[in-house]
Amino acid sequence: MHSKRLVDESFLVLEPLYSEEKVAYLNNKFDNIFSKQDSARRYVDALDMYELGLMDDIFTPKLMSLIYNVIPNPVLYHCHSYEIDGLNSSPHIAKDNFLNGWHRDIDCLHNLNDNAIQHVSLFIYLTDVGNEDGAFEVCNKKFGYFPGLFQSSNFYRITGKKGHSFLFNRTAVHRASPNRNEIQRRVLKISFQSKDTIMPACDPSIKSHEKRINMLKVQQLVPKKSVLLRSLLGDKNIGDAEIKQALEEKINGESIQVLNTNAKYKIECKMNVLQEFRGYAKDLVFIKNLIIYKIFSRKTRRSL
């Protein structure tokens, strides 16, 4: 049910996954690491979280239940917290793409023949996020062999207090709106996808891949008894039977309430004719690249 709604609506608002005390605790732990960075976008990655002793605080039974409910055979793609500077008049990502920062995540190697949800991100706001605080925005513009148009789509701006939690479909068009206020916006982001989908290879020479590389390091450090977490981190030695048993033992009875409040976040966002053309053209290029990648990957596997 959650999966289908994510495909159709692009996001789902959840009951808070952490208490106010837990959010304050995480912020207190993260503060020192963030304070040592001077870039406009600062990170606490999975290895930092492990070294801070926070993996069990973050990957609670309730959160694990959510992930395995949305995608039964999940593997992590992102696991980090980040904050962005305030006093900005433009989005902090893709601001120069001629679409005011609206974009799809092109690292989602989407299977165009599969209509099920494939790439999901969980966001938990660690600061209050209002309309001027860099709120996450998403559009349910159709994606597939024949992509949709902006004019026939809905736009949403997701605001909320500390602890506000939501899922979004990573293949959906989205952006972080400008953080115009002085306070840094801080979130916890956990992305996951089906183990059956293709995952881009890590390249140590690419700076942005460092967080994924550190996440793989955590896989080697997590105790053997943490079956579900090790599986999420990509441990291929864990079988389906072991995962099933761990799910029954660790998260049996845990459930997450999905709030039917999507309409509350709807906003008006008008795209002109040129932006409509650019959006459609970008989708076609993305689709072309996915098809080429799939053909190349198939040939590579056959040659091995």
Side-chain angles (χ1 to χ4, degrees), residues 75-102:
V75 62
L76 294 182
Y77 188 76
H78 295 130
C79 178
H80 56 253
S81 177
Y82 71 94
E83 66 177 17
I84 57 174
D85 282 340
L87 301 178
N88 282 312
S89 58
S90 59
H92 68 281
I93 291 180
K95 64 181 178 181
D96 299 320
N97 71 345
F98 302 105
L99 286 173
N100 296 325
W102 290 97

Tab-separated table of all heavy atoms in Angstrom, residues 75-102:
chain	number	residue	atom	x	y	z
A	75	VAL	N	18.309	-2.249	0.389
A	75	VAL	CA	19.714	-1.980	0.660
A	75	VAL	C	19.863	-0.461	0.715
A	75	VAL	O	19.193	0.269	-0.018
A	75	VAL	CB	20.629	-2.595	-0.427
A	75	VAL	CG1	20.364	-1.995	-1.798
A	75	VAL	CG2	22.098	-2.443	-0.042
A	76	LEU	N	20.712	0.030	1.611
A	76	LEU	CA	20.883	1.473	1.775
A	76	LEU	C	21.688	2.072	0.630
A	76	LEU	O	22.622	1.452	0.109
A	76	LEU	CB	21.593	1.786	3.095
A	76	LEU	CG	20.849	1.464	4.383
A	76	LEU	CD1	21.688	1.893	5.588
A	76	LEU	CD2	19.486	2.143	4.425
A	77	TYR	N	21.308	3.288	0.275
A	77	TYR	CA	22.080	4.072	-0.696
A	77	TYR	C	22.649	5.327	-0.047
A	77	TYR	O	23.749	5.747	-0.373
A	77	TYR	CB	21.200	4.446	-1.891
A	77	TYR	CG	21.968	5.096	-3.017
A	77	TYR	CD1	22.768	4.328	-3.860
A	77	TYR	CD2	21.908	6.468	-3.231
A	77	TYR	CE1	23.487	4.918	-4.892
A	77	TYR	CE2	22.619	7.061	-4.257
A	77	TYR	CZ	23.408	6.283	-5.094
A	77	TYR	OH	24.129	6.874	-6.111
A	78	HIS	N	21.888	5.941	0.844
A	78	HIS	CA	22.355	7.090	1.644
A	78	HIS	C	22.105	6.804	3.117
A	78	HIS	O	21.093	6.182	3.459
A	78	HIS	CB	21.595	8.382	1.307
A	78	HIS	CG	21.781	8.898	-0.073
A	78	HIS	ND1	20.725	9.256	-0.884
A	78	HIS	CD2	22.896	9.140	-0.797
A	78	HIS	CE1	21.177	9.688	-2.041
A	78	HIS	NE2	22.486	9.620	-2.014
A	79	CYS	N	22.981	7.290	3.948
A	79	CYS	CA	22.756	7.291	5.393
A	79	CYS	C	23.605	8.405	5.970
A	79	CYS	O	24.781	8.216	6.287
A	79	CYS	CB	23.118	5.941	6.014
A	79	CYS	SG	22.913	5.913	7.815
A	80	HIS	N	23.022	9.590	6.071
A	80	HIS	CA	23.774	10.723	6.589
A	80	HIS	C	22.821	11.813	7.077
A	80	HIS	O	21.627	11.809	6.756
A	80	HIS	CB	24.723	11.301	5.538
A	80	HIS	CG	24.054	11.722	4.255
A	80	HIS	ND1	24.169	11.016	3.082
A	80	HIS	CD2	23.254	12.779	3.959
A	80	HIS	CE1	23.492	11.613	2.122
A	80	HIS	NE2	22.917	12.682	2.641
A	81	SER	N	23.382	12.717	7.834
A	81	SER	CA	22.689	13.950	8.195
A	81	SER	C	23.429	15.087	7.508
A	81	SER	O	24.647	15.009	7.307
A	81	SER	CB	22.694	14.160	9.711
A	81	SER	OG	22.071	15.390	10.046
A	82	TYR	N	22.700	16.098	7.102
A	82	TYR	CA	23.379	17.259	6.524
A	82	TYR	C	22.635	18.532	6.887
A	82	TYR	O	21.445	18.508	7.203
A	82	TYR	CB	23.543	17.116	5.001
A	82	TYR	CG	22.279	17.236	4.183
A	82	TYR	CD1	21.890	18.449	3.630
A	82	TYR	CD2	21.480	16.122	3.931
A	82	TYR	CE1	20.751	18.556	2.861
A	82	TYR	CE2	20.340	16.217	3.167
A	82	TYR	CZ	19.983	17.442	2.622
A	82	TYR	OH	18.841	17.554	1.871
A	83	GLU	N	23.358	19.627	6.850
A	83	GLU	CA	22.744	20.923	7.095
A	83	GLU	C	23.195	21.898	6.021
A	83	GLU	O	24.292	21.769	5.453
A	83	GLU	CB	23.070	21.457	8.493
A	83	GLU	CG	24.518	21.790	8.746
A	83	GLU	CD	24.764	22.385	10.132
A	83	GLU	OE1	23.904	22.249	11.003
A	83	GLU	OE2	25.835	23.000	10.309
A	84	ILE	N	22.329	22.874	5.717
A	84	ILE	CA	22.631	23.878	4.704
A	84	ILE	C	22.555	25.260	5.335
A	84	ILE	O	21.807	25.497	6.281
A	84	ILE	CB	21.668	23.780	3.508
A	84	ILE	CG1	20.206	23.923	3.956
A	84	ILE	CG2	21.868	22.453	2.778
A	84	ILE	CD1	19.214	23.990	2.808
A	85	ASP	N	23.348	26.153	4.778
A	85	ASP	CA	23.397	27.526	5.278
A	85	ASP	C	22.070	28.247	5.050
A	85	ASP	O	21.291	27.885	4.158
A	85	ASP	CB	24.498	28.317	4.573
A	85	ASP	CG	25.874	27.986	5.111
A	85	ASP	OD1	25.964	27.458	6.239
A	85	ASP	OD2	26.863	28.262	4.409
A	86	GLY	N	21.869	29.285	5.841
A	86	GLY	CA	20.729	30.165	5.651
A	86	GLY	C	21.096	31.365	4.810
A	86	GLY	O	22.188	31.444	4.241
A	87	LEU	N	20.159	32.301	4.719
A	87	LEU	CA	20.341	33.545	3.968
A	87	LEU	C	20.677	33.280	2.505
A	87	LEU	O	21.542	33.927	1.906
A	87	LEU	CB	21.429	34.412	4.625
A	87	LEU	CG	21.173	34.814	6.086
A	87	LEU	CD1	22.327	35.627	6.639
A	87	LEU	CD2	19.860	35.587	6.207
A	88	ASN	N	19.985	32.316	1.922
A	88	ASN	CA	20.166	31.997	0.506
A	88	ASN	C	18.910	32.347	-0.282
A	88	ASN	O	17.799	32.157	0.197
A	88	ASN	CB	20.475	30.506	0.324
A	88	ASN	CG	21.918	30.168	0.643
A	88	ASN	OD1	22.832	30.844	0.185
A	88	ASN	ND2	22.130	29.139	1.444
A	89	SER	N	19.108	32.834	-1.497
A	89	SER	CA	17.972	33.196	-2.343
A	89	SER	C	17.705	32.157	-3.426
A	89	SER	O	16.803	32.336	-4.248
A	89	SER	CB	18.240	34.555	-3.003
A	89	SER	OG	19.441	34.506	-3.771
A	90	SER	N	18.485	31.069	-3.435
A	90	SER	CA	18.306	30.029	-4.442
A	90	SER	C	18.511	28.659	-3.807
A	90	SER	O	19.117	28.546	-2.736
A	90	SER	CB	19.287	30.222	-5.596
A	90	SER	OG	20.625	30.193	-5.124
A	91	PRO	N	18.027	27.591	-4.443
A	91	PRO	CA	18.229	26.239	-3.917
A	91	PRO	C	19.717	25.902	-3.827
A	91	PRO	O	20.525	26.413	-4.606
A	91	PRO	CB	17.522	25.342	-4.946
A	91	PRO	CG	16.549	26.237	-5.629
A	91	PRO	CD	17.200	27.583	-5.672
A	92	HIS	N	20.075	25.015	-2.911
A	92	HIS	CA	21.489	24.683	-2.738
A	92	HIS	C	21.950	23.577	-3.672
A	92	HIS	O	23.142	23.281	-3.751
A	92	HIS	CB	21.772	24.279	-1.283
A	92	HIS	CG	21.148	22.986	-0.865
A	92	HIS	ND1	19.825	22.885	-0.530
A	92	HIS	CD2	21.653	21.741	-0.738
A	92	HIS	CE1	19.542	21.638	-0.211
A	92	HIS	NE2	20.625	20.910	-0.335
A	93	ILE	N	21.028	22.940	-4.399
A	93	ILE	CA	21.362	21.901	-5.367
A	93	ILE	C	20.680	22.226	-6.697
A	93	ILE	O	19.526	22.632	-6.730
A	93	ILE	CB	20.903	20.504	-4.880
A	93	ILE	CG1	21.744	20.060	-3.683
A	93	ILE	CG2	21.005	19.458	-5.991
A	93	ILE	CD1	21.355	18.706	-3.141
A	94	ALA	N	21.432	22.050	-7.783
A	94	ALA	CA	20.909	22.209	-9.150
A	94	ALA	C	20.309	23.594	-9.394
A	94	ALA	O	19.382	23.737	-10.192
A	94	ALA	CB	19.866	21.123	-9.451
A	95	LYS	N	20.851	24.602	-8.741
A	95	LYS	CA	20.271	25.938	-8.873
A	95	LYS	C	20.483	26.538	-10.260
A	95	LYS	O	19.790	27.487	-10.638
A	95	LYS	CB	20.846	26.865	-7.802
A	95	LYS	CG	22.343	27.114	-7.909
A	95	LYS	CD	22.814	28.020	-6.793
A	95	LYS	CE	24.319	28.249	-6.850
A	95	LYS	NZ	24.776	29.123	-5.738
A	96	ASP	N	21.443	26.007	-11.020
A	96	ASP	CA	21.743	26.549	-12.345
A	96	ASP	C	21.214	25.667	-13.472
A	96	ASP	O	21.734	25.697	-14.593
A	96	ASP	CB	23.262	26.716	-12.509
A	96	ASP	CG	23.852	27.683	-11.488
A	96	ASP	OD1	23.204	28.705	-11.209
A	96	ASP	OD2	24.956	27.406	-10.973
A	97	ASN	N	20.182	24.876	-13.207
A	97	ASN	CA	19.688	23.941	-14.231
A	97	ASN	C	18.546	24.514	-15.061
A	97	ASN	O	17.892	23.788	-15.810
A	97	ASN	CB	19.260	22.623	-13.579
A	97	ASN	CG	17.980	22.748	-12.754
A	97	ASN	OD1	17.537	23.847	-12.427
A	97	ASN	ND2	17.386	21.607	-12.405
A	98	PHE	N	18.266	25.811	-14.917
A	98	PHE	CA	17.230	26.517	-15.670
A	98	PHE	C	15.814	26.040	-15.331
A	98	PHE	O	14.868	26.324	-16.055
A	98	PHE	CB	17.462	26.398	-17.187
A	98	PHE	CG	18.792	26.920	-17.629
A	98	PHE	CD1	19.809	26.040	-17.972
A	98	PHE	CD2	19.036	28.286	-17.692
A	98	PHE	CE1	21.052	26.508	-18.373
A	98	PHE	CE2	20.272	28.769	-18.095
A	98	PHE	CZ	21.287	27.879	-18.436
A	99	LEU	N	15.705	25.300	-14.214
A	99	LEU	CA	14.394	24.880	-13.726
A	99	LEU	C	14.227	25.258	-12.260
A	99	LEU	O	13.479	24.616	-11.526
A	99	LEU	CB	14.218	23.366	-13.906
A	99	LEU	CG	13.972	22.860	-15.330
A	99	LEU	CD1	13.997	21.332	-15.369
A	99	LEU	CD2	12.651	23.381	-15.869
A	100	ASN	N	14.955	26.282	-11.831
A	100	ASN	CA	14.895	26.760	-10.441
A	100	ASN	C	15.219	25.659	-9.435
A	100	ASN	O	14.682	25.635	-8.326
A	100	ASN	CB	13.517	27.353	-10.125
A	100	ASN	CG	13.214	28.589	-10.951
A	100	ASN	OD1	14.114	29.374	-11.252
A	100	ASN	ND2	11.971	28.753	-11.337
A	101	GLY	N	16.094	24.741	-9.845
A	101	GLY	CA	16.528	23.683	-8.931
A	101	GLY	C	15.707	22.405	-8.990
A	101	GLY	O	16.093	21.394	-8.395
A	102	TRP	N	14.576	22.409	-9.711
A	102	TRP	CA	13.774	21.187	-9.829
A	102	TRP	C	14.539	20.159	-10.654
A	102	TRP	O	15.049	20.458	-11.732
A	102	TRP	CB	12.422	21.492	-10.491
A	102	TRP	CG	11.501	22.294	-9.625
A	102	TRP	CD1	11.306	23.647	-9.666
A	102	TRP	CD2	10.655	21.798	-8.591
A	102	TRP	NE1	10.391	24.023	-8.717
A	102	TRP	CE2	9.967	22.910	-8.046
A	102	TRP	CE3	10.399	20.534	-8.078
A	102	TRP	CZ2	9.053	22.792	-7.002
A	102	TRP	CZ3	9.484	20.406	-7.039
A	102	TRP	CH2	8.822	21.521	-6.523
